[in-house]
């Protein structure tokens, strides 16, 4: 077990992407776990997906007295510098990014702006911070493993062949972070998240997307004819991983750099078809869909999509060794929790 050397009690934490799925869960958890912590949320609340969901997440966070929200874009250097100068965060968690693999095929520019220029601005702001930011934690992604076929994916594996620009920007974040650790002695930890799901999740990702389509009576599209395996990771587990990591800066490597990358994944890949079956059962159990809903008629099996990979599977040995923790939420429990939330959310959203 690694020693905790960053005490978050009484500190200010900056979370970029705080109106997002993972960021909003993380902010709420920090208030539950640490005394007198202040969380500054920074997010441009863009319309990549339904803005009302981001607003609902922010509304929930506004209940915490020590939550401060700043609307702004990480690709805007002046706005980033202003937040750092005003709030002097002790720890920064960079989750703001243009996410999504498929969207990056159509909209490459959005990825360069948010994930490359934006991340550079965060690095620069950390570098020039006074007092110094103690730890920069940032989101990378399992997509950096590209088409690697050696399973499980280990952080020791080569990741030089990203299959999408999204993956390339995430890998570039790791490279940028390494150089800043090396040049300026910054402590940086990158986290490769594996397919995150759960309540208040992302409408552009399979679970939410499939639920919405079925609710509207549309057909869900299942790629690679359903022969896909994903290491689905429950959001609470992701947040536990982030909170553990935030409190412990990386040990110096052989070159004296405080730089580290971890996988955070469930270490238990599930078949896409099983995932769909569980979702369908839960939608019926929660009364979102009628018992006689014809699921077979609402499924379309299609070939693989460009940029997609067949299987993801996280090696979490480092996480276990350093934090005695690995994600372990059962997919059935996680999907049930999602549908529990979704059933209420769609009533508000669709005014039914
Ligand atoms: N959800 C997953 O399965 C998953 C998997 C791997 C990596 N990640 C990474 O984790 C992080 C959080 O993902 P999420 O699922 O919560 O996504 P999300 O889209 O819900 O959250 C990202 C938030 O960042 C904001 N944002 C985007 N561009 C911005 C910019 N230029 N300036 C300021 N704010 C901006 C968005 O408005 C959004 O609220 C992202 O970096 C994502 O790439 C997520």
């Amino acid at each position: 077990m690694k020693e905790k050397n960053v005490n978050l009690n009484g500190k200010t934490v900056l979370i970029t992407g705080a109106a997002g799925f993972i960021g909003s869960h993380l902010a709420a958890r920090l208030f539950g776990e640490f005394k007198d912590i202040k969380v500054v949320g920074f997010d441009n609340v863009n319309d990549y997906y339904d803005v009302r969901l981001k607003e609902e997440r922010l509304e929930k966070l506004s209940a915490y007295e020590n939550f401060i929200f700043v609307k702004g874009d990480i690709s805007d250097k002046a706005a980033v510098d202003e937040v750092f100068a005003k709030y002097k965060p002790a720890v920064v968690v960079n989750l703001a990014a243009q996410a999504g693999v498929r969207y990056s095929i159509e909209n490459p520019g959005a990825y360069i702006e948010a994930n490359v220029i934006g991340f550079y601005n965060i690095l620069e702001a950390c570098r020039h911070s006074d007092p110094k930011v103690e730890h920069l934690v940032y989101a990378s992604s399992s997509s950096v493993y590209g088409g690697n076929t050696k399973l499980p994916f280990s952080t020791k594996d080569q990741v030089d062949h990203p299959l999408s620009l999204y993956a390339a920007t995430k890998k570039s974040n790791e490279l940028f972070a390494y150089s800043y650790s090396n040049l300026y002695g910054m402590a940086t930890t990158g986290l490769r998240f594996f397919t995150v799901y759960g309540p208040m999740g992302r409408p552009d990702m399979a679970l939410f997307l499939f639920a919405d389509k079925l609710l509207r009576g549309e057909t869900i599209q299942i790629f690679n004819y359903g022969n896909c395996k994903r290491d689905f990771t429950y959001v609470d587990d992701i947040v536990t991983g982030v909170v553990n990591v935030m409190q412990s800066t990386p040990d110096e490597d052989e070159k004296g750099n405080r730089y580290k990358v971890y996988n955070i994944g469930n270490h238990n890949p599930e078949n896409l078809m099983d995932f769909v079956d569980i979702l369908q059962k839960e939608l019926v159990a929660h009364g979102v869909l009628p018992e006689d809903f014809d699921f077979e008629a609402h499924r379309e099996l299609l070939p693989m999509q460009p940029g997609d990979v067949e299987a993801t599977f996280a090696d979490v040995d480092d996480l276990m060794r350093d934090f005695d923790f690995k994600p372990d939420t059962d997919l059935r429990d996680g999907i049930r929790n999602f549908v529990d939330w979704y059933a209420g959310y769609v009533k508000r959203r669709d005014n039914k």
Side-chain angles (χ1 to χ4, degrees):
M1 276 273 281
K2 257 167 74 57
E3 185 202 335
K4 288 182 179 163
N5 60 358
V6 179
N7 180 358
L8 294 176
N9 293 311
K11 295 271 175 70
T12 298
V13 171
L14 172 65
I15 303 178
T16 71
F21 171 35
I22 300 170
S24 58
H25 279 274
L26 174 64
R29 175 77 71 83
L30 290 175
F31 288 119
E33 278 195 26
F34 300 98
K35 259 196 256 143
D36 300 326
I37 194 168
K38 191 189 268 180
V39 176
V40 179
F42 188 81
D43 198 303
N44 66 1
V45 197
N46 66 33
D47 63 359
Y48 166 60
Y49 60 75
D50 196 344
V51 171
R52 285 172 302 174
L53 177 55
K54 295 184 181 181
E55 283 166 353
E56 202 172 300
R57 295 180 186 129
L58 287 175
E59 173 70 33
K60 278 183 105 170
L61 289 174
S62 68
Y64 298 99
E65 207 183 315
N66 284 346
F67 179 71
I68 297 157
F69 182 67
V70 179
K71 188 169 178 182
D73 198 308
I74 57 167
S75 66
D76 176 351
K77 191 170 187 331
V80 170
D81 290 346
E82 197 181 316
V83 157
F84 274 72
K86 186 165 181 191
Y87 297 105
K88 302 188 184 315
V91 173
V92 175
V93 184
N94 186 59
L95 300 174
Q98 180 57 56
V101 168
R102 292 193 189 125
Y103 188 76
S104 71
I105 315 275
E106 303 293 327
N107 301 280
Y111 293 75
I112 301 301
E113 285 283 332
N115 306 6
V116 179
I117 298 171
F119 189 60
Y120 159 75
N121 288 336
I122 296 292
L123 286 168
E124 277 291 292
C126 289
R127 172 189 166 198
H128 294 293
S129 58
D130 181 20
K132 281 274 168 267
V133 166
E134 294 174 47
H135 194 186
L136 168 63
V137 178
Y138 61 95
S140 181
S141 162
S142 61
S143 63
V144 301
Y145 291 105
N148 285 11
T149 49
K150 179 189 145 291
L151 298 171
F153 294 156
S154 161
T155 52
K156 294 175 193 74
D157 297 341
Q158 285 278 342
V159 285
D160 298 325
H161 299 101
L163 298 182
S164 66
L165 189 68
Y166 169 66
T169 62
K170 288 294 178 181
K171 176 61 194 169
S172 79
N173 287 176
E174 298 178 1
L175 296 170
F176 289 8
Y178 184 87
S179 66
Y180 273 68
S181 291
N182 177 256
L183 291 170
Y184 310 114
M186 278 167 45
T188 68
T189 305
L191 302 173
R192 294 178 181 169
F193 299 146
F194 282 65
T195 322
V196 191
Y197 73 100
M200 296 197 296
R202 271 187 20 216
D204 61 318
M205 292 185 67
L207 192 59
F208 207 130
L209 202 65
F210 288 175
D212 270 354
K213 285 203 165 187
L214 293 170
L215 183 67
R216 286 191 227 109
E218 294 170 13
T219 302
I220 60 173
Q221 299 179 316
I222 301 174
F223 296 109
N224 204 27
Y225 306 102
N227 296 318
C228 273
K229 283 191 156 205
R230 287 286 177 276
D231 212 351
F232 294 105
T233 311
Y234 191 59
V235 66
D236 285 358
D237 290 333
I238 292 284
V239 167
T240 304
V242 177
V243 172
N244 278 326
V245 167
M246 285 169 74
Q247 297 174 80
S248 184
T249 56
D251 296 333
E252 288 187 1
D253 67 12
E254 62 284 359
K255 297 201 172 80
N257 298 324
R258 292 185 300 153
Y259 166 88
K260 181 81 185 159
V261 170
Y262 291 99
N263 285 336
I264 308 189
N266 217 44
H267 191 66
N268 184 21
E270 303 260 5
N271 245 307
L272 190 57
M273 281 309 203
D274 295 338
F275 169 87
V276 170
D277 286 342
I278 300 168
L279 172 65
Q280 292 177 348
K281 284 200 187 90
E282 289 301 328
L283 287 171
V284 171
H286 284 78
V288 177
L289 292 176
E291 272 184 38
D292 59 356
F293 191 88
D294 184 356
F295 287 107
E296 286 306 318
H298 293 87
R299 283 180 180 190
E300 189 182 3
L301 300 177
L302 293 168
M304 193 79 154
Q305 287 285 287
D308 263 357
V309 301
E310 245 169 67
T312 65
F313 183 4
D315 176 330
V316 286
D317 287 355
D318 282 7
L319 205 63
M320 271 303 279
R321 185 197 59 225
D322 290 350
F323 303 103
D324 194 23
F325 163 77
K326 73 177 188 61
D328 63 358
T329 302
D330 182 77
L331 189 63
R332 278 142 206 85
D333 296 337
I335 293 183
R336 188 174 314 120
N337 292 346
F338 166 76
V339 178
D340 237 4
W341 167 81
Y342 178 81
Y345 175 72
V346 289
K347 279 193 194 131
R348 293 193 294 283
R349 185 189 65 184
D350 303 344
N351 286 322
K352 280 186 187 152

